[in-house]
């Protein structure tokens, strides 16, 4: 196998950094995972640089030439200037990460938000190949979306577009969100939200399967309990899927996509996915001709592949206009 060119992808998440070598066809030649530290950006960058050193020295590269680096990051990213603005609101320390990595490696570097990267992976190698108008909705620990309209992803004037987790879907909800509003979809339907909702209602269901695992409860456990027809879990999952369907239909009314792609661990659950579909109203989604579908890309690699896509500078997502 003689591969001429590859791109280095870096997916920096809340718990791990995935570094890998990716071809222009989206094939991951090799990758390695490192623990991340997102306590603050200075620490995150230090850990990232050490991980990159380890990868270069101990793993090495398969292709003859590396043509660039793409980095997917948690938080807000000024992709035009190559600046990682913040990990989350309140953890703000604008860091010229593209320049830092260019100086270190001599390669051109592009940065992007992690959900933007996943959206770009879909655009280049997933369902997004079939249409220029789609929405990628990630439902994992948190919840966010990427909007592609006329083949271009919308990032917003402050690089904060797609933070759809803070869309209110239940105006009567008393669940207070960190953003200051009540009834945000992330608090009700993300992995973390599902877990917190189950804990909040546990007292009403003392015989629930979840009562035994209160201390180490996860969203996944709530999903599995719903499959076993646990009443508490069913209540939480029924509401989460109803609210997600509301969110999807509101988004469809906003940008008129042909396809809505669901990514993230939570939507992999078959019962959860089917319940979302059951709550969609056919008239509202009549122009979503390619369907509300689940990502076919490998869940653990989609961020890495997306980072490599922005490293390839194939569209507006990587700063090339
Ligand atoms: Zn909120």
């Amino acid at each position: 196998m003689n591969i001429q060119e590859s791109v280095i992808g870096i997916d920096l998440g809340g718990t791990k950094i995935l570094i890998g070598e990716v071809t222009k066809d989206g094939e991951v030649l090799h990758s390695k995972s490192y623990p991340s530290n997102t306590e603050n950006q200075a620490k995150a960058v230090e850990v990232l640089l050490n991980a990159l050193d380890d990868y270069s020295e101990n793993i090495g590269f398969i292709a003859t030439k590396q043509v660039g680096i793409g980095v997917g990051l948690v938080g807000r990213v000024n992709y035009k200037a190559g600046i990682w603005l913040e990990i989350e609101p309140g953890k703000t320390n604008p860091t010229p990460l593209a320049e830092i990595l260019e100086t270190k490696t001599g390669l051109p570097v592009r940065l992007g938000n992690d959900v933007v990267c996943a959206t770009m992976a879909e655009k280049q190698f997933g369902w997004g190949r079939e249409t220029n108008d789609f929405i990628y909705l990630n439902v994992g620990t948190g919840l966010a979306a990427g909007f592609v309209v006329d083949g271009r992803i919308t990032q917003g004037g402050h690089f904060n577009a797609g933070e759809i987790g803070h869309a209110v879907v239940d105006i009567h909800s008393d669940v207070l969100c960190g953003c200051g509003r009540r009834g945000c979809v992330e608090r009700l339907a993300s992995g973390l939200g599902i877990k917190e909702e189950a804990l909040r209602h546990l007292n009403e269901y003392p015989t629930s399967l979840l009562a035994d695992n209160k201390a180490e409860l996860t969203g996944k456990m709530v999903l599995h309990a719903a499959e076993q027809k646990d009443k508490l879990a069913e209540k939480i999952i029924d509401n989460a899927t109803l609210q997600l369907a509301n969110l999807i239909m509101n988004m469809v009314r906003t940008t008129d996509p042909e396809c809505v792609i669901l990514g993230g661990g939570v939507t992999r659950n078959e019962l959860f996915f089917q319940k979302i579909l059951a709550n969609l109203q056919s008239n509202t989604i009549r122009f979503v001709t390619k369907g509300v579908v689940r990502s076919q890309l490998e869940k653990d690699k989609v961020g890495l592949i997306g980072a490599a896509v922005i490293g390839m500078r194939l569209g507006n997502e990587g700063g090339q206009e």
Side-chain angles (χ1 to χ4, degrees), residues 6 14 17 42-44 52 78 99 115 121 181 191 222 262 273 307 320:
S6 66
I17 302 169
K43 282 204 174 127
L52 193 55
N78 180 341
E99 189 187 326
V115 175
R181 302 174 80 194
V222 181
L262 304 178
F273 177 59
Q320 179 179 290

Side-chain angles (χ1 to χ4, degrees), residues 71-144:
V71 190
L73 296 156
V74 287
R76 213 153 50 85
V77 178
N78 180 341
Y79 68 93
K80 293 177 179 172
I83 293 171
W84 185 17
L85 295 170
E86 65 185 17
I87 293 179
E88 60 185 52
K91 282 189 183 177
T92 307
N93 178 21
T95 303
L97 183 58
E99 189 187 326
I100 292 169
L101 288 171
E102 280 171 2
T103 304
K104 182 180 175 67
T105 64
L107 294 173
V109 177
R110 290 290 181 275
L111 310 182
N113 163 271
D114 51 3
V115 175
V116 169
C117 287
T119 306
M120 286 304 111
E122 292 293 342
K123 182 169 181 280
Q124 208 62 33
F125 302 115
W127 287 105
R129 283 178 298 186
E130 300 187 19
T131 174
N132 273 331
D133 292 277
F134 72 91
I135 297 169
Y136 173 77
L137 176 63
N138 187 71
V139 188
T141 308
L143 199 154

Side-chain angles (χ1 to χ4, degrees), residues 8-303:
I8 302 169
I10 300 173
D11 178 16
L12 195 159
T15 56
K16 67 178 170 65
I17 302 169
L18 190 62
I19 299 181
E21 186 180 5
V22 183
T23 69
K24 291 204 167 183
D25 298 323
E27 184 192 350
V28 179
L29 297 173
H30 195 84
S31 66
K32 184 175 176 184
S33 180
Y34 300 85
S36 73
N37 182 338
T38 49
E39 197 181 318
N40 60 55
Q41 282 161 281
K43 282 204 174 127
V45 171
E46 185 190 326
V47 171
L48 168 62
L49 294 177
N50 287 337
L52 193 55
D53 278 341
D54 175 81
Y55 195 93
S56 304
E57 288 163 21
N58 298 320
I59 307 283
F61 298 101
I62 293 165
T64 311
K65 187 184 175 195
Q66 284 65 56
V67 296
I69 299 177
V71 190
L73 296 156
V74 287
R76 213 153 50 85
V77 178
N78 180 341
Y79 68 93
K80 293 177 179 172
I83 293 171
W84 185 17
L85 295 170
E86 65 185 17
I87 293 179
E88 60 185 52
K91 282 189 183 177
T92 307
N93 178 21
T95 303
L97 183 58
E99 189 187 326
I100 292 169
L101 288 171
E102 280 171 2
T103 304
K104 182 180 175 67
T105 64
L107 294 173
V109 177
R110 290 290 181 275
L111 310 182
N113 163 271
D114 51 3
V115 175
V116 169
C117 287
T119 306
M120 286 304 111
E122 292 293 342
K123 182 169 181 280
Q124 208 62 33
F125 302 115
W127 287 105
R129 283 178 298 186
E130 300 187 19
T131 174
N132 273 331
D133 292 277
F134 72 91
I135 297 169
Y136 173 77
L137 176 63
N138 187 71
V139 188
T141 308
L143 199 154
F147 294 85
V148 173
V149 179
D150 287 336
R152 293 171 62 89
I153 187 163
T154 300
Q155 302 214 42
H158 305 88
F159 316 102
N160 206 31
E163 291 295 347
I164 202 79
H166 298 289
V168 171
V169 285
D170 180 359
I171 58 167
H172 302 297
S173 171
D174 53 3
V175 178
L176 182 63
C177 181
C179 75
R181 302 174 80 194
R182 289 176 197 275
C184 288
V185 66
E186 186 170 87
R187 309 303 298 198
L188 305 172
S190 68
L192 193 60
I194 287 168
K195 172 192 136 175
E196 286 175 355
E197 279 294 276
L199 287 174
R200 203 165 68 88
H201 290 280
L202 204 51
N203 289 343
E204 302 155 38
Y205 296 83
T207 60
S208 167
L209 295 170
L210 303 174
D212 300 336
N213 299 305
K214 195 175 167 185
E216 63 272 10
L217 193 68
T218 63
K220 205 175 217 175
M221 287 160 70
V222 181
L223 286 164
H224 288 159
E227 287 167 349
Q228 293 164 52
K229 305 217 173 295
D230 179 80
K231 289 283 172 263
L232 168 60
E234 282 186 318
K235 173 192 165 101
I236 304 304
I237 297 305
D238 283 353
N239 187 52
T241 49
L242 171 66
Q243 303 306 352
L244 269 181
N246 282 335
L247 175 74
I248 289 167
M249 290 187 284
N250 289 346
M251 294 194 303
V252 164
R253 290 298 194 183
T254 309
T255 63
D256 185 23
E258 286 189 309
C259 188
V260 177
I261 306 164
L262 304 178
V266 177
T267 59
R268 297 257 157 174
N269 182 276
E270 186 64 26
L271 175 71
F272 195 82
F273 177 59
Q274 292 302 332
K275 279 180 182 278
I276 293 172
L277 296 186
N279 280 305
L280 296 171
Q281 191 223 35
S282 59
N283 187 45
T284 302
I285 60 160
R286 68 192 186 281
F287 297 126
V288 187
T289 50
K290 299 188 188 303
V292 176
V293 297
R294 282 185 287 186
S295 173
Q296 294 174 319
L297 302 176
E298 200 182 332
K299 175 174 139 323
D300 296 329
K301 297 274 169 64
V302 62

